[in-house]
């Protein structure tokens, strides 16, 4: 049970597996006014940076679930490094359908809403673990500019223009689902660069270390195409943010 190998290669040096910087993660935690002892569930937690740093900085208690064995192990090492291994737990498992044994004050899915078949399904999944009045965190792309064609949308690694909404429509959609948007922190082009461009050096170093690996052709093709694809499409058209929701 694992994610596709390409992600384990390209993001192996990432601590944050989305277009956020450490500063933005800190800002998000501060914006939520987290109290010590708050229970946080993070589905699709990646390498656990959000839970680990929030445990250190805000005193939360957390559980993270991720399908990548590599990222799950990195999360456990990060918890030990920051001295919070007694406060956060990481589970290598499929986050789809995961429900916490104890209700939490914050239930999050930061950039992995495919686990619930989209935003609405992921929100419904998260509510199963949430205390009444608790906060749901959803990380989701949106169109900074609506692509002029389906070809451009695919260049942004979407299947179609309809996959994402412009920001005002995304905000409105949360209301239609019965939630107040109570906070948001958005990525910017610099934080997108840190997420995407960091993959390129990782791929180059991996290729240098693994020239005879059967996967090398795939990684080489990715490295050869990604800088141009990203700067042509994603950087110009796609936004990303984390949205804090409370049921009405």
């Amino acid at each position: 049970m694992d994610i596709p190998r390409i992600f384990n290669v390209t993001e192996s040096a990432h601590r944050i597996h989305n277009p956020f910087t450490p500063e933005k993660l800190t800002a998000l935690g501060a914006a939520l006014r987290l109290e010590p002892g708050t229970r946080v569930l993070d589905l699709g937690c990646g390498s656990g940076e959000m839970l680990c740093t929030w445990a250190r900085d805000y005193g939360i208690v957390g559980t993270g679930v991720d399908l990548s064995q590599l990222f799950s192990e990195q999360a456990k090492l990060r918890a030990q490094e920051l001295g919070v291994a007694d406060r956060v737990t990481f589970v290598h498992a499929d986050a789809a359908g995961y429900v916490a044994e104890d209700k939490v004050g914050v239930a999050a899915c930061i950039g992995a809403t495919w686990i619930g078949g989209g935003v609405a399904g992921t929100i419904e999944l998260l509510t199963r673990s949430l205390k009444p009045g608790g906060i749901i965190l959803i990380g989701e792309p949106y169109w900074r500019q609506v692509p002029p064609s389906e070809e451009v949308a695919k260049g942004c690694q979407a299947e179609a223009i309809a996959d994402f909404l412009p920001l005002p429509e995304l905000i409105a959609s949360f209301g239609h689902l019965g939630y107040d948007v109570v906070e948001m922190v958005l990525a910017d082009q610099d934080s997108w660069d840190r997420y995407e461009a960091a993959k390129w050096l990782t791929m180059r170093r991996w290729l240098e270390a693994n020239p005879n690996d059967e996967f090398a052709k795939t990684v080489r093709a990715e490295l050869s195409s990604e800088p141009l694809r990203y700067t042509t499409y994603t950087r110009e058209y796609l936004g990303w943010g984390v949205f804090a929701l409370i049921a009405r």
Side-chain angles (χ1 to χ4, degrees):
M1 182 173 59
D2 210 333
I3 62 173
R5 188 181 181 192
I6 190 64
F7 298 108
N8 280 327
V9 171
T10 61
E11 299 191 26
S12 59
H14 283 52
R15 283 183 174 166
I16 302 171
H17 302 275
N18 57 58
F20 259 16
T21 58
E23 293 77 16
K24 287 187 180 290
L25 268 188
T26 299
L28 177 61
L32 297 176
R33 308 171 198 174
L34 294 168
E35 296 182 0
T38 299
R39 287 191 172 276
V40 180
L41 174 67
D42 188 6
L43 298 185
C45 66
S47 296
E49 190 72 1
M50 184 176 82
L51 290 179
C52 289
T53 55
W54 285 6
R56 177 195 64 191
D57 298 340
Y58 305 116
I60 63 98
V61 177
T63 299
V65 183
D66 201 88
L67 192 59
S68 168
Q69 184 155 4
L70 172 64
F71 299 163
S72 298
E73 291 303 315
Q74 288 178 338
K76 293 173 185 177
L77 292 173
R78 184 64 167 154
Q80 293 172 7
E81 179 185 355
L82 297 185
V84 296
D86 60 333
R87 304 187 63 85
V88 292
T89 301
F90 294 100
V91 180
H92 173 230
D94 189 349
Y98 186 94
V99 177
E101 292 184 8
D102 299 315
K103 298 292 186 181
V104 302
V106 179
C109 180
I110 307 299
T113 54
W114 57 81
I115 67 170
V119 170
T122 300
I123 289 174
E124 194 278 328
L125 171 61
L126 292 171
T127 61
R128 299 182 210 170
S129 299
L130 194 67
K131 291 179 178 179
I135 293 175
I136 286 176
L137 296 180
I138 290 289
E140 183 70 3
Y142 60 87
W143 293 124
R144 293 179 63 240
Q145 305 177 57
V146 176
S149 68
E150 296 293 345
E151 181 181 358
V152 172
K154 290 177 180 178
C156 297
Q157 298 185 322
E159 293 294 325
I161 294 173
D163 282 2
F164 306 127
L165 298 170
L167 182 58
E169 293 180 23
L170 178 59
I171 294 293
S173 74
F174 297 132
H176 299 329
L177 293 171
Y179 288 84
D180 289 323
V181 180
V182 297
E183 259 295 357
M184 71 177 188
V185 177
L186 302 181
D188 54 33
Q189 286 183 314
D190 287 341
S191 59
W192 265 110
D193 290 349
R194 299 296 7 102
Y195 173 54
E196 293 288 348
K199 299 175 187 178
W200 309 337
L201 182 57
T202 299
M203 285 189 279
R204 179 55 190 252
R205 294 291 185 247
W206 187 93
L207 286 167
E208 291 168 354
N210 300 275
N212 299 317
D213 193 293
E214 63 180 11
F215 200 58
K217 288 184 179 180
T218 299
V219 176
R220 163 44 63 192
E222 190 88 353
L223 177 56
S224 296
S225 62
E226 272 301 286
L228 181 58
R229 184 208 62 77
Y230 166 66
T231 53
T232 302
Y233 298 110
T234 299
R235 196 175 193 272
E236 298 305 312
Y237 289 95
L238 200 61
W240 192 88
V242 178
F243 306 90
L245 315 175
I246 298 178
R248 290 176 176 166

